[in-house]
Amino acid sequence: MRLTRIGGPTVLVEFDGWRILVDPTFDAPGRTYAFGWGTSSRKTLGPALGPEAVGPVDLVLISHDHHADNLDDAGRAFLPSAGRVVTTRSGGKRLAGRTGDAPVHGLAEGDRVVVAAPRAGLADLEVTATPCRHGPPLSRPIVGEVVGFAVRRTGESRVALWVTGDTVLHAGLRRAAHALDVDVAIVNVGGVRFGLTGPLRYTMDGREAVELIGLVAPRAAALAHYDGWSHFRDGEAGLRRALAAASPDVRERARWLVDGTAVTL
């Protein structure tokens, strides 16, 4: 499997002939985006690759469409060139009719869809929505619906790719980690906080990411979505501190991706 970090949560995944793009964000840095309820964040880093450099993709996975750090204007413009789009159930409704000829599948937690192979010789893929809680308890009415994705070859139980999505570590995520047999995980971190809501966190910090990697024990855990925005308060520094204090097993599984360069895992 080859992973290319583009920026934020945006990662190009290539395996078994498939090209999968996670949470497309291609806007230039410098702009401040509203996140609802008086919160906002400024984009501080641009993408390592533009849409033209990424090229055609067979499948786009969007953990949620309503926050610009996971789907921005340039990312939306990219969707009609994709083969298929899978996102949340509510996001599927919002994106309907806006992705050109690319079909949109909206999933709630636990839902699954089989994505037919786009070319001869490729295996079909099964995509299952995994649990996310994008904030403290009872925050979903405010932060909206978010999911992760477990991607399997049809007929196989092992998960080839697990994308955690934007989430804190909570009971549902721990149960999923115990239940999944994962080859490669993309773990979104960063420790998002906003001044308006004080100490409340909306994504995992480094300490929680280390715990999750230990629970799921993937062959490799690629680290993502920890920089490039002003709302990351734990960020790369917190993640490195947590990994330095982690067990040797977790440190061996954790992988830092290189911006704009394909890394083979």
Side-chain angles (χ1 to χ4, degrees):
M1 187 179 294
R2 298 202 313 168
L3 272 60
T4 305
R5 184 176 188 255
I6 294 168
T10 310
V11 178
L12 176 65
V13 180
E14 299 171 275
F15 78 102
D16 286 359
W18 282 84
R19 290 170 53 82
I20 301 172
L21 188 65
V22 180
D23 284 347
T25 56
F26 295 109
D27 284 0
R31 179 176 164 189
T32 296
Y33 299 78
F35 284 83
W37 289 75
T39 62
S40 64
S41 184
R42 182 171 58 88
K43 187 172 186 179
T44 60
L45 294 174
L49 299 174
E52 68 289 339
V54 170
V57 300
D58 305 308
L59 174 64
V60 174
L61 303 175
I62 304 173
S63 63
H64 56 304
D65 69 302
H66 53 281
H67 291 162
D69 60 328
N70 295 85
L71 181 66
D72 58 18
D73 292 343
R76 290 175 187 274
F78 179 84
L79 297 182
S81 68
R84 288 181 182 270
V85 176
V86 179
T87 186
T88 61
R89 185 174 292 176
S90 57
K93 294 175 182 177
R94 286 188 291 266
L95 292 175
R98 301 183 180 184
T99 59
D101 294 331
V104 180
H105 303 281
L107 305 180
E109 178 187 328
D111 290 346
R112 64 189 62 192
V113 63
V114 173
V115 182
R119 292 175 293 281
L122 304 189
D124 296 345
L125 297 181
E126 179 184 279
V127 181
T128 303
T130 60
C132 286
R133 198 184 77 202
H134 197 1
L138 307 179
S139 61
R140 179 171 170 176
I142 298 173
V143 300
E145 184 184 15
V146 185
V147 295
F149 301 101
V151 181
R152 299 173 173 87
R153 303 169 183 88
T154 53
E156 294 188 1
S157 59
R158 183 166 175 79
V159 174
L161 173 71
W162 182 33
V163 181
T164 66
D166 282 9
T167 183
V168 295
L169 186 58
H170 63 287
L173 191 60
R174 287 187 175 94
R175 286 193 295 270
H178 282 297
L180 295 174
D181 178 16
V182 177
D183 184 32
V184 174
I186 297 177
V187 181
N188 286 3
V189 202
V192 167
R193 289 192 289 117
F194 299 98
L196 185 68
T197 54
L200 298 179
R201 279 191 299 101
Y202 297 87
T203 62
M204 289 186 286
D205 60 11
R207 178 186 56 81
E208 288 186 328
V210 163
E211 182 180 347
L212 181 65
I213 294 168
L215 289 173
V216 73
R219 180 177 60 82
L223 306 167
H225 209 19
Y226 52 81
D227 65 358
W229 289 82
S230 62
H231 61 343
F232 289 127
R233 301 303 175 85
D234 191 59
E236 181 178 346
L239 182 53
R240 288 191 181 277
R241 284 194 299 270
L243 283 171
S247 69
D249 178 69
V250 168
R251 290 199 302 270
E252 184 177 338
R253 296 177 193 277
R255 298 287 190 275
W256 294 93
L257 302 180
V258 181
D259 288 356
T261 301
V263 174
T264 300
L265 301 178

